[in-house]
Amino acid sequence: MRLLTVTALAAAFSVNAVVLRNEDARDFKGGNHTAFKWGACDPTLVQDSNVSCSFFEIPLDYHNATAGTGRLAVAKVNATSERLGTVFFNPGGPGASGLAAMNEASTLLLALTGGNYDVVSWDTRGVGTFTIPGDIFCFDNVTDYNTFWNGTIELNGIEYTGNFTDPADTKALLTQATVMGRKYTELGKRCQQHPTGKYMKYIGTAATVRDMIALADALDGPGSPVNYAGISYGTLLGAWFVNMFPKRVGRVLLDGVLNPQLVATQESHKIWPQQLSDTDKAYDAFVAGCALSGPSGCAIAAANASAADVDATITTLLKQAHDTARKNASAPVTSADIRSALLSAMYFPATWADLANTTFPEIAAAVQGESLARRALGGVAQRIVRRHEADEAATYGGIAIACSDSIDPRGTSMKDVFKNTIAATQSANGSHLFTPVWPISWNYCSFWPERAMERYTGPFNKTLANKVLIANNCLDAATPLKGAQALAKIMGDNAALVVQEGIGVSRAVMGTWLDY
Ligand SMILES: *[C@@H]1O[C@H](CO)[C@@H](O)[C@H](O)[C@H]1NC(C)=O
Ligand SMILES: *[C@@H]1O[C@H](CO)[C@@H](O)[C@H](O)[C@H]1NC(C)=O
Ligand SMILES: *[C@@H]1O[C@H](CO)[C@@H](O)[C@H](O)[C@H]1NC(C)=O
Ligand SMILES: *[C@@H]1O[C@H](CO)[C@@H](O)[C@H](O)[C@H]1NC(C)=O
Ligand SMILES: *[C@@H]1O[C@H](CO)[C@@H](O)[C@H](O)[C@H]1NC(C)=O
Ligand SMILES: *[C@@H]1O[C@H](CO)[C@@H](O)[C@H](O)[C@H]1NC(C)=O
Ligand SMILES: *[C@@H]1O[C@H](CO)[C@@H](O)[C@H](O)[C@H]1NC(C)=O
Ligand SMILES: *[C@@H]1O[C@H](CO)[C@@H](O)[C@H](O)[C@H]1NC(C)=O
Ligand SMILES: *[C@@H]1O[C@H](CO)[C@@H](O)[C@H](O)[C@H]1NC(C)=O
Ligand SMILES: *[C@@H]1O[C@H](CO)[C@@H](O)[C@H](O)[C@H]1NC(C)=O
Ligand SMILES: *[C@@H]1O[C@H](CO)[C@@H](O)[C@H](O)[C@H]1NC(C)=O
Ligand SMILES: *[C@@H]1O[C@H](CO)[C@@H](O)[C@H](O)[C@H]1NC(C)=O
């Protein structure tokens, strides 16, 4: 995520017209050929030559033609055998790039859909700089960003021990409430004032659903069944789609569920902690697996170590980092950094060996005062260093999507948000280790100045043209099984739930191939 201008990148996106061959006509069942000009994708984003790209024109506001038009950057991998239609794919986030996902996984997506479907993904509204409206920017440069957030938990994270058992930790957090409330309010104003700000109200999941319907009308013909696979946030897009357009439902897979009923009814700072209800269990599985492997497979396990011993090693390091950061605000690695790195790892068990073998020992060395030799560091540790070097400023498209969709603010103050964070950390159902990891997109929403022109808040139990498949891992670090169970219950006969005995963010059907 870097600060780049919209126009510079848009100009770089190659859309050389491709002359449609006659035989391409059979690829369309009454679709509108002229709506697309498939060609090579911009190589900065997509290097896979099996993927073709095109822009697709959209109205900014489906209910107001005078608002003007935008465009989607769309990527497609063609069916390899007899074509039965299109499967649309969303990789989650919100804010993850569909183009990047296609580049990473076109072969897998084709294989998973049997080769009979074109697989199409796109950078939704609020994502990337090729789609208009694309990503939202709120700062002109990194200096501006760093100055704005200097000295706050936005850059430094939250320090605590136990379950906020130390009153000094609670006090330190609550003391930040006033300044953070003011900062998030001011952030919203900055985002509005930035040139991308005028698009904020056109960004949101309901408009994205209508974009997908328009894409399907053009690719497969007006009124065609819409096939869709979505993971994580993509399941919210899916749940909105099937209930906004129940007659258009083709074959649909929702994998790693964010319960749409929560989004419809609760302020988002209350939603995020509930997403972490199984994350400590994923951590327990990590330490148990490490102990079972022993030192030959997992470097942080001593010989004959138990799971409790491995946990103690990590807990001790967290405590040490916490105490050092308390004494010296310039400590190179804080306990907040370590929690943040651990949380990222909990999403992907495939990274656990590397975490234990490489990242963790490097972090331990840094906490214990050795200098951070950047080049020697692994991925997660590098991210920690980058944060401290502050050479990247965040972009806000993902937050714009989450907050555009969220319910209206209800007079919530930052103190309320923090108290909820602390309570969720202490709750037996919450994550003692990870709830306070900061910053979290969902926690901005009570202070976000805009909501989408259109939002969908239910019902989620419409009678659908086809039954939907819901899938989830049983120990999912960000979209817990209870969300999938809740959605399956709401949808009743319109859905079937399949549960995989797996750990990490659900890709129960899709596999764990996305590294965000
Ligand atoms: C096909 O798409 C083009 C470009 O978006 C549009 O101008 C045209 O009106 C569409 N034609 C039909 C028949 O929908
Ligand atoms: C492109 O598709 C062909 C045929 O399906 C496959 O053999 C090849 O590996 C694919 N290339 C990439 C870069 O995925
Ligand atoms: C995929 O199909 C489109 C026509 O729908 C064609 O223009 C494009 O060249 C094809 N892409 C590849 C990589 O074969
Ligand atoms: C439609 O969009 C135009 C241009 O942004 C705006 O001036 C007008 O107020 C909008 N109309 C409605 C009904 O929202
Ligand atoms: C960064 O942006 C701020 C605010 O727009 C501006 O005042 C400042 O000159 C910029 N600094 C650099 C280094 O571009
Ligand atoms: C942040 O604040 C500290 C002390 O208040 C100051 O020394 C430092 O220059 C500031 N950094 C930025 C990027 O504004
Ligand atoms: C945090 O609270 C939970 C539930 O009350 C408890 O099981 C756990 O041991 C506590 N952890 C610490 C470090 O105090
Ligand atoms: C982790 O290190 C152990 C030896 O300490 C080694 O056997 C194992 O293969 C390593 N795993 C990875 C993924 O590097
Ligand atoms: C580990 O356990 C084995 C068998 O119980 C024992 O022989 C060995 O000495 C133990 N190693 C350590 C380092 O405690
Ligand atoms: C605080 O940490 C920084 C960075 O590691 C170090 O340069 C500095 O000497 C430390 N200050 C004290 C008082 O220990
Ligand atoms: C914890 O989860 C259980 C099972 O989902 C639920 O019955 C209980 O009310 C929850 N407790 C709290 C404090 O949220
Ligand atoms: C959907 O759920 C609501 C509330 O539980 C219920 O009143 C309604 O009958 C349900 N509709 C369908 C089609 O099942």
Side-chain angles (χ1 to χ4, degrees):
M1 293 199 288
R2 294 182 183 278
L3 295 164
L4 291 169
T5 66
V6 174
T7 42
L9 270 171
F13 191 63
S14 90
V15 280
N16 299 331
V18 171
V19 179
L20 284 167
R21 289 169 285 122
N22 277 340
E23 60 265 35
D24 288 327
R26 66 157 188 248
D27 287 342
F28 296 91
K29 294 174 179 160
N32 181 350
H33 303 224
T34 57
F36 298 91
K37 290 186 174 66
W38 297 109
C41 301
D42 184 275
T44 60
L45 209 51
V46 180
Q47 298 86 41
D48 179 346
S49 58
N50 289 339
V51 178
S52 306
C53 283
S54 174
F55 287 124
F56 180 75
E57 194 176 290
I58 47 166
L60 283 178
D61 180 353
Y62 279 91
H63 306 288
N64 181 359
T66 60
T69 57
R71 65 171 195 207
L72 304 175
V74 184
K76 173 164 85 109
V77 59
N78 296 335
T80 45
S81 45
E82 190 204 354
R83 184 183 181 280
L84 300 177
T86 302
V87 175
F88 294 96
F89 176 68
N90 182 280
S97 163
L99 269 55
M102 284 291 279
N103 187 50
E104 275 186 61
S106 77
T107 304
L108 176 67
L109 288 165
L110 265 183
L112 289 171
T113 50
N116 291 108
Y117 295 88
D118 293 345
V119 180
V120 168
S121 193
W122 74 104
D123 283 1
T124 63
R125 294 163 185 247
V127 177
T129 44
F130 300 134
T131 283
I132 301 172
D135 208 344
I136 295 296
F137 297 87
C138 310
F139 296 97
D140 288 334
N141 52 57
V142 174
T143 312
D144 200 14
Y145 172 87
N146 282 330
T147 306
F148 185 80
W149 297 115
N150 194 17
T152 69
I153 57 167
E154 192 79 359
L155 296 183
N156 300 335
I158 294 173
E159 292 295 319
Y160 73 104
T161 54
N163 297 334
F164 277 105
T165 34
D166 183 345
D169 292 333
T170 309
K171 182 158 178 273
L173 180 58
L174 294 179
T175 301
Q176 288 259 345
T178 309
V179 64
M180 292 315 288
R182 206 165 52 223
K183 288 278 175 196
Y184 288 140
T185 304
E186 201 181 324
L187 171 72
K189 292 203 183 100
R190 279 176 172 253
C191 303
Q192 283 177 307
Q193 282 157 12
H194 198 273
T196 52
K198 64 177 181 291
Y199 289 123
M200 276 159 55
K201 60 177 175 283
Y202 302 121
I203 288 172
T205 299
T208 291
V209 167
R210 292 186 190 281
D211 291 340
M212 179 161 71
I213 298 296
L215 285 167
D217 285 346
L219 287 165
D220 291 350
S224 55
V226 179
N227 307 306
Y228 173 74
I231 56 180
S232 190
Y233 155 80
T235 66
L236 184 77
L237 173 57
W240 285 28
F241 147 55
V242 299
N243 285 286
M244 285 171 71
F245 292 92
K247 294 196 174 74
R248 297 295 298 271
V249 175
R251 294 163 188 265
V252 172
L253 165 66
L254 307 179
D255 188 355
V257 172
L258 169 58
N259 178 0
Q261 196 65 46
L262 287 184
V263 177
T265 55
Q266 301 196 14
E267 267 186 282
S268 18
H269 71 277
K270 293 207 170 147
I271 298 172
W272 178 247
Q274 299 179 59
Q275 296 304 114
L276 301 177
S277 58
D278 286 338
T279 318
D280 284 0
K281 290 177 203 137
Y283 170 85
D284 291 344
F286 165 65
V287 294
C290 183
L292 277 173
S293 304
S296 67
C298 181
I300 57 173
N304 296 351
S306 66
D309 296 333
V310 176
D311 173 47
T313 302
I314 295 170
T315 307
T316 303
L317 189 70
L318 282 168
K319 179 78 167 60
Q320 206 177 351
H322 168 274
D323 293 348
T324 307
R326 225 358 138 54
K327 286 196 221 95
N328 182 354
S330 320
V333 177
T334 65
S335 76
D337 293 326
I338 300 171
R339 287 176 202 278
S340 179
L342 283 173
L343 175 58
S344 306
M346 289 310 109
Y347 282 43
F348 302 109
T351 66
W352 287 359
D354 194 45
L355 171 72
N357 275 18
T358 312
T359 310
F360 195 84
E362 285 167 354
I363 292 174
V367 169
Q368 280 139 22
E370 292 172 31
S371 73
L372 282 174
R374 179 175 184 164
R375 225 169 269 114
L377 294 177
V380 175
Q382 265 189 28
R383 275 207 292 284
I384 290 174
V385 175
R386 273 214 297 278
R387 202 153 87 117
H388 283 271
E389 288 177 350
D391 62 355
E392 285 186 2
T395 61
Y396 290 86
I399 293 167
I401 298 169
C403 294
S404 286
D405 288 347
S406 75
I407 67 171
D408 293 326
R410 295 176 177 175
T412 297
S413 71
M414 212 55 215
K415 194 165 244 167
D416 300 327
V417 175
F418 287 152
K419 283 186 169 163
N420 188 67
T421 301
I422 293 168
T425 306
Q426 292 169 342
S427 156
N429 286 349
S431 169
H432 313 308
L433 277 167
F434 303 120
T435 305
V437 167
W438 206 271
I440 290 295
S441 312
W442 302 88
N443 291 337
Y444 296 72
C445 296
S446 300
F447 309 90
W448 194 252
E450 306 246 17
R451 293 295 180 273
M453 303 295 294
E454 182 184 8
R455 289 178 280 163
Y456 187 78
T457 55
F460 294 102
N461 59 352
K462 297 268 185 75
T463 301
L464 311 180
N466 283 293
K467 203 169 190 164
V468 162
L469 182 63
I470 298 175
N472 224 93
N473 276 347
C474 62
L475 286 187
D476 182 305
T479 45
L481 176 58
K482 69 179 183 187
Q485 288 167 332
L487 181 60
K489 192 168 176 211
I490 294 167
M491 293 181 70
D493 289 344
N494 292 292
L497 172 64
V498 55
V499 178
Q500 163 137 323
E501 299 275 331
I503 309 166
V505 277
S506 251
R507 305 293 185 253
V509 177
M510 303 303 249
T512 56
W513 47 270
L514 281 177
D515 65 352
Y516 68 89

